[in-house]
Amino acid sequence: MTPARVVVCFVKDEAWPADHTRSYSGGRYHALSLSYAFAAAGAQVTVVINGPVAFAQDFERLSGASVRFVISPHMDPRDVDLVPDYVVVGPASASAPGLYAFVDSLVAQTGAIPLLINYESPNWFNLLAPTPDDPHVWDPWRRVVARGGIVLSSTYVGDRYARDFYRANGNKLVFEQCYPPINSATADAIGAQVKDGSIVLFARPFHDYKGGEEVFRLPSAIFEGRTLHAIFGGEPNHDYVQALREHLSRVPDTHVEVHSRIEDWQKYVLLFRAQALLFPSLFEGFGYPAVEAIYAGTEVVCYDLPVLSETVGSVAHMAKVGDTAGLGKALQRALDMPERADLLRRTVSQRMSLPAVSQHLREMLGRLQQDFPSRSPVRPPSGVLWGPWPDDPSDYNETDYLSFPPFPPQAACRQKEDSVEVTLVVWTSEPIIEATLAFNELVVAGVCIPIEGATGWVCNEVRFLLGEKMLGRKLTLSMRTGWRRSLTRTERLVVRRAN
C-alpha cells in the first residue's frame, strides 16, 4: 500500500514573543504528537507551521520515522511542494484567519481530504465550563469540514458531542476517535525515580475552567512537609505564585517551586518523583497532564469530568465537580497511597503510548481509504479570510451559548472586469432582510435571497459586488433579520482578488 501523504498544519500563537518558542500550548503539542504518530503509522508527514516551536525537539526520539518541517511565516500553500492525501488541521483557539485560508487553498487546489483535530466543541464546552464562550469561535473549525472530510476527536466523550455539532453540506463527513500519544519514549528513557512526596500542579490561572483557583479552597495543612511544583507552560504568573506561597506560608516545611517552559524530560522527572498530580480542572478536552502522570506511576487527583473518567477514571482519585472538600479528601488519599506504578502505567500505555496510537492510526488510515477512495474535486479557493481578528469586538450574547446554526458562513468569489462578485451563504434563525459590507466610510449593500430552511434555520444567499478599494481590507459584514423579531449579527472578513 502506498504510504499516505499527510500535511499537518497549525500556527504558533501571535502573542508568543519571537524568543519564547518554548511557550507550551496544549493544542499545538497535541497536533505535533499526532504528527509523529502518523509517521510511526507509515505515513509521509510534513508539518507546516508559521514559526519554529522548540518543543518539537521533545518528539524527535518519539518515532523512528522522520517528520519534515516547513516554516511558512505567512502560511502560504505555495511553500508546500507535494500533493497531500490528507490535510490535518490543529485548529487555533484564538483567531487565526491565515491558518484557515491556507487549509482552504491547499484542499481546494489539491483535492486533499481535510482532517480536523477536534479538541472540543461548544455544545460540550459550554455545558461544563464556568464561563460559556461564543459558539461562533468554533465557526472556522466547522468551516474546515463543511464541504466534507474527517473529524478526529481526542476522546469518545468528545466524539459524541462532535457528531451533533459538525456537519457537511451534502458531502461525506466521517467521525473518528484517536487519543493523542504521550511522549512515552522520553518517559521510558527516564525510567522509575525515587518518590519524594512532592505534589505537581500544572498552573493555568488564565482561564477559570482550568481550575487554578480551586487550590486556594483546599486546606493548606494537606501540603505540610511537601514541595508543590507549579509548572507554567509560558511566563509564570507572579501574582498567582505569590498567592500560592501566601496560602501555604503558615504550613511548616512547605515549599513552592516554580517551573516554566520546561522540556519534556524535565516534566517527566518531576512527575516520576512526585507522589501526586493535583489537576483541579473544571473542563478538559483531553487532559494531557493527568494521562502523563499516570504513565509516570504518579497518583492523580481531579474532579470527575466525563473525559477524565474515560481516560484515567479507573485509577484516579476523584471528587464531584466543584466539591473542594471532596477534592481535599481525594488528595489526602493519593498522598497516603502505597506505590503502584506498574498498575498505573498499564492503565494508559495500552491506549496512549506511541505504539498503541500509531497502530490505531494505521487502522484508521486503512478505513479512510475505503471512505474516500478518490480525491475531492479540485475547485477555486473561496478567496475570503474569515475573522475575527484578535482585536475585534464581539457581539456575543451569553443567552445564546448553546445556539448555533447548522453550518458556518461560507463564501465564493468570482472575478469580474473591475470588481469581485462575492456570494455568501449564511444560516440565520430568520431571513436576512438587509446586509452590508463596510470598510470605514465605504459601504456596499448586498442582495439577500432566502433559499431554503433546515431544522428551524434559514439559509440565506447574500451577494455583493466589490470594487478595488474594498479588496484586501478587513470588512465588517452586518446583517439584519426580520419577521418575528429584528436581530443584528456581525462578521469580519477579508475578500481577496479572485483567481
Side-chain angles (χ1 to χ4, degrees):
M1 183 168 59
T2 304
R5 295 182 296 273
V6 176
V7 166
V8 180
C9 55
F10 54 97
V11 291
K12 190 182 77 166
D13 195 324
E14 292 178 0
W16 295 353
D19 60 342
H20 286 176
T21 57
R22 275 217 65 87
S23 288
Y24 176 92
S25 159
R28 315 308 181 270
Y29 187 95
H30 183 144
L32 197 59
S33 71
L34 275 178
S35 302
Y36 282 88
F38 270 114
Q44 297 176 356
V45 179
T46 299
V47 173
V48 183
I49 188 172
N50 61 337
V53 175
F55 62 69
Q57 299 172 4
D58 296 335
F59 289 93
E60 287 183 352
R61 72 170 73 190
L62 189 58
S63 170
S66 62
V67 171
R68 186 171 71 112
F69 283 81
V70 173
I71 305 298
S72 181
H74 303 292
M75 296 304 286
D76 188 338
R78 291 173 295 186
D79 292 335
V80 180
D81 59 358
L82 76 158
V83 177
D85 299 306
Y86 304 97
V87 177
V88 178
V89 185
S93 56
S95 163
L99 169 64
Y100 302 110
F102 167 86
V103 173
D104 177 66
S105 295
L106 189 59
V107 168
Q109 294 166 0
T110 65
I113 307 300
L115 186 155
L116 176 77
I117 303 173
N118 172 50
Y119 303 132
E120 78 274 330
S121 53
N123 57 335
W124 178 24
F125 179 88
N126 285 346
L127 281 177
L128 299 180
T131 304
D133 206 349
D134 184 352
H136 289 106
V137 169
W138 283 266
D139 274 357
W141 301 29
R142 292 201 296 165
R143 201 173 285 118
V144 168
V145 293
R147 289 185 170 92
I150 306 146
V151 176
L152 181 64
S153 295
S154 311
T155 62
Y156 290 104
V157 173
D159 177 68
R160 289 202 301 271
Y161 286 97
R163 290 169 185 266
D164 289 334
F165 178 66
Y166 295 98
R167 302 186 189 187
N169 200 352
N171 295 312
K172 190 166 191 174
L173 185 60
V174 172
F175 292 88
E176 290 278 356
Q177 182 278 334
C178 183
Y179 298 116
I182 58 176
N183 194 342
S184 51
T186 294
D188 293 345
I190 292 168
Q193 303 281 307
V194 176
K195 294 290 185 184
D196 60 12
S198 61
I199 301 170
V200 171
L201 170 71
F202 282 78
R204 302 172 297 175
F206 40 85
H207 293 304
D208 58 2
Y209 68 85
K210 293 299 187 181
E213 294 300 313
E214 302 296 290
V215 182
F216 304 109
R217 301 185 180 100
L218 298 177
S220 56
I222 298 178
F223 298 87
E224 181 175 352
R226 300 183 186 274
T227 297
L228 177 64
H229 294 282
I231 300 176
F232 289 84
E235 190 71 23
N237 184 309
H238 298 293
D239 291 339
Y240 186 78
V241 171
Q242 182 177 351
L244 275 179
R245 288 181 167 140
E246 289 177 358
H247 181 62
L248 301 179
S249 61
R250 300 185 212 49
V251 183
D253 194 26
T254 302
H255 308 279
V256 176
E257 292 190 7
V258 177
H259 312 266
S260 66
R261 302 192 185 95
I262 59 176
E263 297 182 28
D264 263 15
W265 70 267
Q266 296 170 303
K267 174 183 65 180
Y268 274 111
V269 166
L270 292 174
L271 287 175
F272 270 109
R273 292 176 179 173
Q275 175 63 23
L277 167 73
L278 178 57
F279 194 61
S281 185
L282 301 170
F283 176 84
E284 288 292 329
F286 176 65
Y288 248 120
V291 174
E292 292 169 330
I294 294 294
Y295 191 83
T298 295
E299 304 294 331
V300 168
V301 180
C302 58
Y303 287 128
D304 60 349
L305 303 179
V307 68
L308 296 180
S309 295
E310 176 184 329
T311 55
V312 298
S314 64
V315 290
H317 304 268
M318 291 185 159
K320 294 293 183 185
V321 176
D323 178 7
T324 49
L327 191 69
K329 293 175 183 177
L331 178 56
Q332 191 62 63
R333 288 197 303 272
L335 295 175
D336 295 339
M337 197 74 186
E339 190 272 336
R340 53 175 186 158
D342 290 342
L343 170 64
L344 294 179
R345 173 173 287 205
R346 285 198 302 272
T347 302
V348 297
S349 64
Q350 296 170 353
R351 295 173 292 159
M352 299 149 194
S353 65
L354 176 73
V357 174
S358 61
Q359 177 59 32
H360 185 103
L361 289 176
R362 190 176 296 112
E363 295 169 0
M364 185 188 81
L365 288 170
R367 289 193 300 273
L368 293 177
Q369 283 196 334
Q370 303 300 316
D371 290 325
F372 299 95
S374 60
R375 292 179 169 276
S376 298
V378 175
R379 58 174 173 83
S382 71
V384 168
L385 279 74
W386 289 96
W389 280 264
D391 55 349
D392 284 346
S394 171
D395 61 356
Y396 168 52
N397 184 332
E398 281 201 11
T399 60
D400 296 329
Y401 71 97
L402 287 176
S403 177
F404 38 82
F407 299 100
Q410 293 175 272
C413 298
R414 188 160 62 97
Q415 186 73 46
K416 298 255 182 171
E417 288 185 4
D418 55 355
S419 60
V420 173
E421 182 184 66
V422 182
T423 301
L424 304 179
V425 177
V426 184
W427 293 79
T428 54
S429 56
E430 298 193 6
I432 297 173
I433 59 175
E434 182 180 289
T436 59
L437 278 173
F439 173 69
N440 294 339
E441 292 79 22
L442 294 174
V443 179
V444 175
V447 177
C448 309
I449 308 170
I451 53 177
E452 64 178 88
T455 62
W457 294 84
V458 178
C459 181
N460 305 268
E461 188 174 277
V462 188
R463 296 175 183 170
F464 297 91
L465 200 60
L466 302 183
E468 187 71 31
K469 291 182 179 180
M470 300 285 276
L471 302 182
R473 310 285 191 178
K474 292 181 182 177
L475 307 179
T476 299
L477 169 64
S478 299
M479 300 166 287
R480 186 164 64 88
T481 63
W483 276 3
R484 292 180 292 274
R485 57 179 180 154
S486 180
L487 296 174
T488 301
R489 179 177 157 194
T490 60
E491 298 274 357
R492 294 274 279 161
L493 64 153
V494 169
V495 177
R496 298 184 289 190
R497 182 174 295 281
N499 293 327

